[in-house]
Amino acid sequence: MKNIVPNLAISTLLVLLVFSSCRESDLEDDLSAKQTYSFTFNGKSYLLVKEARSWQDAVSYAVANGAYLAEINSEEEQIAIFTQLSTFADINFNETNNQFGFAAVWLGGNDIAAESVWVWNGNNDETDVQFWNGGVDGNTVNGSYNNWGNEPDNDGNQDVLCMGLEATPINAVGKWTDLDGSDNNLFFVMEYD
Ligand SMILES: [Ca+2]
Ligand SMILES: [Ca+2]
Ligand SMILES: [Ca+2]
Ligand SMILES: [Ca+2]
């Protein structure tokens, strides 16, 4: 009988340890183990997470870390982010390939709430800013910047935005494309205020 209590205590401790380490590795906001690349532009910090995720998962990561998926508000911001990604971030294109065969990264644009109403909402909350209305032949809203390729075309119902890191037959490198956020797992860029 003497040894039962200590054994129970040790067993309980082991169970707790295993449980907590499982929980640790499941945490959505555990960025320490991930490959990342950080940079700044115009007083903002950005973090590229080199882990291919669905768009919604990428948003969850960003929000859990006090950030949002990058919202590109000017040509200068587009150039800064694209230059960092294409020149310095050391991205393995094969790891962030989309279903159409070109490398891309998620940004915070989407038309989830209403088709063809494109907003920046990189934390997927109630606050967004519309920047585009319509499809390929749509129009900018309130003079907002955009860098669409021959997109958005909502091909098969595509409601989230990525930046291409490779040219395609219809889009130059760096252009924006709408994709299905669940059918594609991509690296993603977080922006911090
Ligand atoms: Ca921004
Ligand atoms: Ca928002
Ligand atoms: Ca759409
Ligand atoms: Ca598209």
Side-chain angles (χ1 to χ4, degrees), residues 111 115 154 158-159:
D111 71 337
E115 181 54 41
N154 200 42
Q158 301 170 320
D159 293 344

Side-chain angles (χ1 to χ4, degrees), residues 90-189:
D90 193 25
I91 295 172
N92 181 344
F93 284 176
N94 291 329
E95 294 177 1
T96 188
N97 227 11
N98 65 47
Q99 67 189 122
F100 299 103
F102 66 95
V105 294
W106 292 133
L107 300 175
N110 72 77
D111 71 337
I112 293 170
E115 181 54 41
S116 297
V117 177
W118 280 90
V119 298
W120 288 119
N121 193 1
N123 54 4
N124 208 19
D125 66 2
E126 306 77 36
T127 310
D128 58 36
V129 177
Q130 188 181 359
F131 68 92
W132 185 258
N133 192 57
V136 179
D137 298 323
N139 51 276
T140 189
V141 175
N142 294 328
S144 300
Y145 173 73
N146 81 89
N147 194 42
W148 292 118
N150 287 303
E151 313 275 351
D153 59 2
N154 200 42
D155 180 14
N157 195 29
Q158 301 170 320
D159 293 344
V160 294
L161 189 154
C162 71
M163 181 194 295
L165 301 177
E166 296 177 288
T168 76
I170 60 166
N171 296 321
V173 63
K175 289 291 184 181
W176 302 348
T177 298
D178 56 341
L179 284 181
D180 183 306
S182 303
D183 289 351
N184 295 279
N185 293 313
L186 303 179
F187 292 0
F188 51 98
V189 181

Side-chain angles (χ1 to χ4, degrees), residues 16-34 61:
L16 283 174
L17 278 173
V18 168
F19 180 67
S20 66
S21 69
C22 284
R23 282 200 62 216
E24 191 80 15
S25 61
D26 286 344
L27 277 181
E28 288 282 295
D29 60 351
D30 182 12
L31 279 167
S32 60
K34 302 187 190 316
Y61 268 90

